[in-house]
Amino acid sequence: MRKISKTIKNMLIKLRKTRYPFLKIPRFAPIFIILNLAGFTIKFALLTLTSMAGTASAFIFVYLLGDVVSNSSALTIDRLKSFYIPLFILAIFIKELFDYFLRRFGEPFSTIYVDRIRLRFLNSLLDSSSQHTQNISPHRSLSILDKYLGNIRESLDEWLWNGSRKLVQLAISLGILYYQSPVVLWANLTYFLSFAFITYLISKRYLPFAQRYAQADLNASSNINSFAFQIPSILKIGARGFFQESYLRSTKARAESLYSLKRFHADRWFIQLVLFYLGYIATLIYGAWQVQSGALALGFLVLIKYAFDLLNGVIIYISEYSVNLIRQRTDADIIRKELGHIEISDTEQRPLVNFNRFIHLLNCSCRFTTKDGATRSISIPNFSISRGERVGVMGASGAGKSTLLSLVTGILGGDGEIYIDDERYLLGNFQLNDATIVSPADPLFNTTILENLTMGRSVNESEIRKVLTLVCAENFLPNLDLEYGSDSVHFSTGQLQRIRLARALISRPKFLLLDEPFTGIDSSTRKKIIQNLIPYLAEMSVILVTHEKEDLVLTQRSYHFHDGKLLES
């Protein structure tokens, strides 16, 4: 099992690296699971074998029942008590024992696996240099990611509790039909292959219904989440009516697409079940004739019924799972469109680079999307910063100042080259070590103020208080154990920005990039913070981007954007 899984995985990895780069985010969850079983392979194989063994042990019970019916005329109470009943009990015990282990270890497996995969997805998004990835709404990306991961969890559970069992059931069913008569086996195989082809043709028509519903469901979920995350602000801006109208509109569109999907689903199943039971009835009638002619024992009719019950389950499973694969494909197309072709990996794809002497951007350009949705481009003919230097960048809102910081640190890609010390890198193909960006969009997390400031690092409290004094935050942060996000903790825009600034300074980065760091802070406090920071930043490498000329007092030299081009002032 492990060898087969490894072979298939290697084949798919080879395809991914050569002709089919789209396998970075496979359309189908089973392919994703095969490609990403690292660390889970042995457990997955053992759980699969446990599921299969439990299904096989259930057949023993049915076989014994058929034998009892066949030998009912000669069966004695002693034979029943000494042979059949103990075997019945043993068969039930073995099946339940396998199911116990599957419930104990199999049910948590998909959750543990998906939690690991979610972390790998998020790390890959953090490591992505795509402008598109940087701009996507967090609510929408969360909805997309949860849908894709939900398909992975569902596929794992389906395999352990259904797929692996259906393989065993199919083998048992074919064995029973072959024992009845090879002709019966081949007749049923021909019939069911025709049935599967008809089912495939019908299921193909399912795709447009699934696509409409998937898009409507994503839009509704994203819309609802965007409002849910802003509940405290809805009343402030008088948006309750808009919220209700938007909610009803998006859920109505989802409901209409769902009704269409389920109507087609019901029609499809009616046709498929009628076709299936025609084959069932024909085989059962032929079996009864064989019993009457003495070719089969009476108890074999029990096995025929059991075989068709299993086949019915297999056919239903295949038919439903084919539809599920169509849905997975639709969901995967959405995540590939929205999040791009990111590589899911446990390791960083870009080298971690230290800045020791200088950074130099030469003849670089980048296209980016502004907050209002417009697409613009910037040109950077020549930009440099030396270790320990403080450089300012002026420009209007949307000029490309924040994009410049992302290019310098390797967060975004673009056209051109960047030299870090004596090494040349392509934009977006590296990650700058020990560099911190501060911007008004930086989040605070729902944990204590202390943990928000230290980000899990061990920092002396006196150093924390020193930094809070520098940014004029000591007065409104007397208790650092307060939980941010609780109903008792409220900060103004300026206070939040001072917390963000303090967090960056506490980390003592070698390279500090300040993106409009004083947004929302009143003029007098702003001037005081700047005066405090001048000596504090004396030995630190700093890039300060701003549209306020007064902020440049922190810097030693500066650049400015003019018509999308970065020029030295």
Side-chain angles (χ1 to χ4, degrees), residues 127 204 226 253 279 284 311 318 334 346 352 446 460 469 474:
D127 199 43
K204 280 184 67 176
S226 68
L284 196 60
L311 277 177
I318 292 174
I334 291 174
D346 280 327
L352 201 61
N446 290 344
N460 188 285
T469 301
E474 73 283 2

Side-chain angles (χ1 to χ4, degrees), residues 206 257-267:
Y206 181 87
S257 61
L258 181 60
Y259 278 128
S260 299
L261 181 70
K262 293 304 179 182
R263 183 171 61 249
F264 177 83
H265 182 70
D267 295 343

Side-chain angles (χ1 to χ4, degrees), residues 25 39 47-49 89 100 105 143 168 183 204 210 219 231 268 280 292 325 345 347 381 414 439 462 470 497 549:
I25 302 182
L47 290 172
T48 297
L49 291 175
I89 294 173
Y100 165 77
F105 299 106
S143 298
V168 178
V183 175
K204 280 184 67 176
N219 291 339
I231 286 293
R268 177 177 66 90
Y280 180 19
Q292 188 178 18
L325 288 176
S345 175
T347 58
S439 79
S462 61
L470 282 175
Q497 188 59 18
K549 193 172 182 179

